[in-house]
Amino acid sequence: MNFEMTDDRRMLADSLSKLLGDLYGIEHRTSMAYDAPFHDIEGWKALAELGILYAFVSEDAGGMGGGGFDLLAVFEQLGAALCPEPLLGAAMAAPLLAEAGEELEPLLSGEAIYALALDEPEAPWDAEAGATEGGDTLTGRKTAVYGGNAATHFLVSARREGKLALYEVKAEDAAVTPWGMIDGGGAAELMLDGTAARCLLPDAGPAIEQALDRGRLALCAEAVGAMDWCYATTLDYLKSRKQFGREIGKFQALQHRMVEMKTAIEQARSITIAAADRMDWRSVAMAKSLVGRVARKVSEESIQLHGGIGMTWEYPLSHYAKRLVMLDAQLGDADFHTARVAATYA
């Protein structure tokens, strides 16, 4: 396995990192991520102009990537900058639209913002268990639609003639209730009551599962980027904070905790790279399970090593810690994915 980034991906990551550094300083991020519309509309346009969305689609479909390592190049930078833009929905919707033979330019240019609406209140993390029925219209309720707060279009799963189908619904035709997540950024509830819809894929089960795995891999990469930031910030703090006449980073007990944190982060990075290389459901599930556990550990350790300041609203670490906890919960938490893999051993 080649762990080195290609020159194109490195250039993409470097350009994105610089743009995010210019646009999403922590004070600006905090000021807009917790209030409607829960993202920066001008920031979204800037990201689209940089061409980030083209990384989610293969060259054959008009993009410049579309692979697992392209997702890593983008989402690791988003995690390091704690960016709240609704790119997860675009990353999952792009291959579904390509599979359906739909025009991709509106998504790639950022003109159209897509969100994937699969989860239902009685069927979280399992599109196959949903009760929404489809025909020429859709009736049902979708919950925790990430990026739904900003979406112009929804890709909705529904039952059609005994199969799981994929529909496109315009936001203006549905009842959309946006809400802010506890870590910043937005999501939405989607109410469908005889809502006009267009069937894109009548038998979409396998395509939806692949799109979900792309989303889970993206979240793993985002977590790695956020954990790198937490580790570096905590290390700087230990080197500057003094107690008993010397820097607290000189105490062996704290040094050991930092080594354990770094080791866990590198394990999370390695399994994420392996999942990006293989792009099969088992590898992605194992990565999401491990990364979810490590993300919680890093968030807890970073705050404990900082002490009280780590929990304050004004200190950036508190927002990174909340994001790491939420990353575990999105698209199936560690226990959910561990159970998926364990079931194959029964």
Side-chain angles (χ1 to χ4, degrees), residues 136-324:
D136 295 330
T137 62
L138 291 180
T139 297
R141 175 185 174 185
K142 297 294 181 179
T143 189
V145 182
Y146 302 118
N149 54 300
T152 59
H153 296 73
F154 293 90
L155 296 184
V156 183
S157 61
R159 286 279 159 204
R160 176 189 171 103
E161 298 177 352
K163 296 181 179 178
L164 189 65
L166 184 73
Y167 288 80
E168 182 185 74
V169 174
K170 294 180 180 178
E172 62 195 36
D173 293 332
V176 182
T177 303
W179 46 273
M181 297 193 294
I182 191 170
D183 59 319
E189 300 293 301
L190 184 64
M191 302 298 294
L192 305 162
D193 185 8
T195 302
R198 186 165 64 94
C199 184
L200 301 183
L201 293 170
D203 185 5
I208 288 175
E209 281 303 316
Q210 291 176 6
L212 280 171
D213 283 340
R214 288 172 59 84
R216 290 159 180 154
L217 178 64
L219 292 172
C220 289
E222 184 179 345
V224 169
M227 287 190 289
D228 280 341
W229 186 95
C230 290
Y231 175 82
T233 300
T234 303
L235 186 61
D236 286 344
Y237 182 78
L238 295 186
K239 289 180 177 179
S240 60
R241 181 80 166 92
K242 292 185 177 179
Q243 283 283 8
F244 309 110
R246 57 177 175 169
E247 294 83 5
I248 60 175
K250 292 184 177 179
F251 291 106
Q252 190 179 51
L254 300 188
Q255 291 174 353
H256 284 192
R257 290 173 70 172
M258 289 299 291
V259 171
E260 290 174 358
M261 189 194 306
K262 183 64 173 176
T263 302
I265 293 172
E266 292 307 316
Q267 289 174 333
R269 190 191 318 280
S270 296
I271 200 169
T272 300
I273 291 173
D277 181 62
R278 296 168 185 167
M279 283 304 295
D280 60 83
W281 80 265
R282 177 188 290 271
S283 298
V284 173
M286 294 172 73
K288 188 69 167 61
S289 174
L290 178 62
V291 172
R293 298 178 197 281
V294 173
R296 284 181 173 271
K297 175 181 176 63
V298 170
S299 65
E300 293 168 0
E301 282 288 271
S302 298
I303 287 180
Q304 287 191 16
L305 289 167
H306 272 81
I309 191 175
M311 300 178 67
T312 60
W313 179 269
E314 292 78 11
Y315 199 67
L317 178 62
S318 64
H319 303 282
Y320 278 86
K322 285 191 291 185
R323 182 68 192 131
L324 285 174

Side-chain angles (χ1 to χ4, degrees), residues 44 53 56 86-95 107 114-115:
W44 170 265
L53 295 163
F56 301 153
L87 286 157
L88 180 63
M92 292 191 289
L107 181 150
Y114 277 84

